[in-house]
Amino acid sequence: MKLLVLDGNSLVNRAFFGIKVLTTKDGRYTNAIYGFQNILLNLLASQKPDAVAIAWDEKAPTFRHTAYDGYKATRHGMPEELAQQMPVLKELLSDLGFVQVSKAGWEADDILGTLAAACEKTGGTTLLATGDRDSLQLVDSSTTVLLATNKETLTMDEDAIREKYGIEPPQLIEVKSLMGDASDNIPGVKGIGEKTALSLVQKFGSLENVYANIEDKAIKPKQRENLLAHREDAQLSHMLGTIRRDAPIDTEPQNYLRKEGDPAAAAKLLADLEMHKLVERWGLKEGAPAAAVIELPQLEVQPLPFLVSGRCYLARTPSKDGNGAWYAVQLLPHPVVYSLEESRLAALLDSEADLWAFDAKPLFRLALEKGGVGSSLHFDGKLAAYLLNPSASRYEVSSLAAEYGISPAFTCKEYPDAAVLGPLCEALHMHLEEQGMLRLHDEIELPLARVLADMERIGFAVDADGIRAFGVELTASLQQLLERIYNEVGYTFNLNSPKQLGEALFEKLGLPPRKKTKSGYSTDAETLESLRPYSPVIDDILQYRTYQKLNSTYVEGLLKAIGPDGRIHSTFIQTEARTGRISSTEPNLQNIPIRTELGSRLRGFFVAADGCDLVDADYSQIELRILAHITGDEAMQHAFQSGADIHRSTAAKIYGIPPEEVTHDLRTSAKAINFGIMYGKGAFSLSRDLNVPVKEAEAFLKTYLNTFPKVDGYMKDCIAQAKETGYVSTLFGRRRPLPELASSNFQVRSSGERMARNTPIQGTAADIIKLAMVHVWQSLRDEGLKAQLLLQVHDELIVEAPIDEVERVKQLLKEKMEQVVQYSVPLTADVGTGKTWLEAH
């Protein structure tokens, strides 16, 4: 038999500290539960054990504590965020059928040792999964340790230990008795470190033999003095460090075969924890009844009648390509499930029916393609689920139904989700209303889905020949750069191989290495940037990478994405960014580079259709204007109200000089802090942005906050309020949960504080641009204009307009964007026109 024994506490700690903070939408921590399951599933898949035991420490003192009061006395207590997860994890493991074992007075290490010894007696083999090197002493011909490190899991058998330490596995106890263990507060011998301890054990074999040969010349005088002075400590350490193999536990390997457990309870608990992918990985079924199976009525699918009135719920069957079959459900006067042919579906979208859909955007697109607008669509369950939990990785009917505790009232073989679709949508609607986000859904998100559907349908015309020519130019430049790099290094190599590049830079050219990775020297962007002063080849390598990305991601990527109509039809995603921003994919038009001259040229290949111009409107410093409004800072508000240059005005206030005396450098510093303050940047980050010492940046930051006290007060209030409620909100009521604020980890908590400061500002800006898009799109149609909204990129909107409509569209864009909200400072939009995106911006 092959027995896998997991050191539960060791692995759960690795899971907890190795994964970013994860919580459910109601704030329960889940990262340790999630990470532990991944470790267990990976072990089961790779090792295929016959039986599994999961060993845990208990809170009660062990025999080691009784023998030595200082044992593990320096250990910090378990973080509260982890402690909350432990009983839930253990309940889940029991439901999954795993046998867990612990014993008061004994450690999990002793359970590992005892089970390994018992399995060996029966002729079996044991795998010990742990992150603790103490267990290496247990390795023998039938016991292997799977040692989890930060980077990988190492298989430590007898040969691996001999190769690494030069001794036999049991001799590691002798080493520990000499060197001690700071993490467990095992004293060892003062002045004896790992290197010395290993050499002594390699020569003398054991602690006892070291003392038997204490006068040997191999032992230096100072070592001898320490060994004699701390002999009792060494003997105590030997006892403390020895893993016992006689813990009073069940040692019959057969009793650790996985049990049936309670799969329904496990599925329900995982759904409650919002771990829907893990339900699939465990082979469970969400929503399975925990008790006796109740016979539910089976509904047959009916064709959609010609006239439909009342509320209908629409969704489509899950499919890998996202193009499953659409169906409709009516609950009143009695449940009915309808199949939907495209022609009937299109008619339904602009009918008298009250349609509640799960994912309305493709329905809006169908309606628009058929000449309608989807006027019957009044609710989107997917958008509602996103608003309620923007941190979720996906939104699906079945998993959300399990999460919200929706029980089916009937079954439908063709459309399994049909039974929960209606109640789920109603529950999501109710939760939106309770959290004050229904208006956000009704006035921004749902109408925006129609706008995005239209933008996807219309697409953006491109100059394919121009892109190809640009690609040829880039390819030639890449070849020239490559030849120059080879000449500077002195030989040819694979520049795209980090290993070969590292060898070229740090071994051939002798540049100072910065950090190492598992495969060799690091050659990431940060490392290369730090090496610029040492060799001109670094500039060429960085430029090569820039050109290569332009060519592969944008030139080749854009050419592949051009449709038969000569236009690129990107897909806009509404349910991804936690701040509420829209993202774009296939291709990602929001990432078209603009900071370099070469990158910005790509915009020149996005063109207006024949007889049209592009009209581009861009909000000016919208986030700073929102900051001025939210904080109520009079000085900042006055600068915007008077039309002054905000960065020049800020510098003047900080340095107490007239605006006309502000130099370029002072304005640059003020600009950096104006934007940095919103992103929660401290003195260290600011010093890097400004290329000044940290102390100078610290003084600058302090002066800024003293000059604008209401900004400082707002930032502090933001964090305090978020800690109290567990979330932050935009001015439109959009919520973002911030479990990071309750973390005991300083870095995680600091990250949460930065998000607490920034999200209300960035999220409000996202809401404003979304609302502006809705108003612009509707106004273009209301006025009967042929102009069409093509693209949104951050704070910028692009419209394609016939030449004779350009002036009206410019006026309309500026008017709708600037008047979308009324704040204490005006919003301003800069409007330009041109035949290409580059010209118009």
Side-chain angles (χ1 to χ4, degrees), residues 116 151 307 309 473 485 570 578 694 715 785 827:
K151 294 177 182 176
L307 290 175
S309 60
E473 183 183 329
I485 291 165
S570 183
R578 294 183 183 188
V694 174
M715 297 297 178
L785 297 171
L827 298 183

Side-chain angles (χ1 to χ4, degrees), residues 51 119 139 307 357 496 634 768 784:
C119 192
V139 170
L307 290 175
N496 296 317
E634 292 86 353
I768 287 173

Side-chain angles (χ1 to χ4, degrees), residues 766-781:
D767 288 340
I768 287 173
I769 192 75
K770 284 179 169 182
L771 190 57
M773 291 170 72
V774 171
H775 289 186
V776 166
W777 185 89
Q778 192 59 54
S779 296
L780 290 173
R781 293 182 76 91

Side-chain angles (χ1 to χ4, degrees), residues 40 52-54 90-100 255-263 266 282 284:
L40 178 52
V52 178
I54 302 172
K90 290 178 180 179
E91 178 189 349
L92 175 63
L93 292 170
S94 292
D95 289 340
L96 289 167
F98 292 102
V99 180
Q100 301 174 78
N255 292 339
Y256 293 96
L257 293 170
R258 188 174 172 189
K259 308 293 189 285
E260 184 180 348
D262 190 341
W282 284 118
L284 304 172

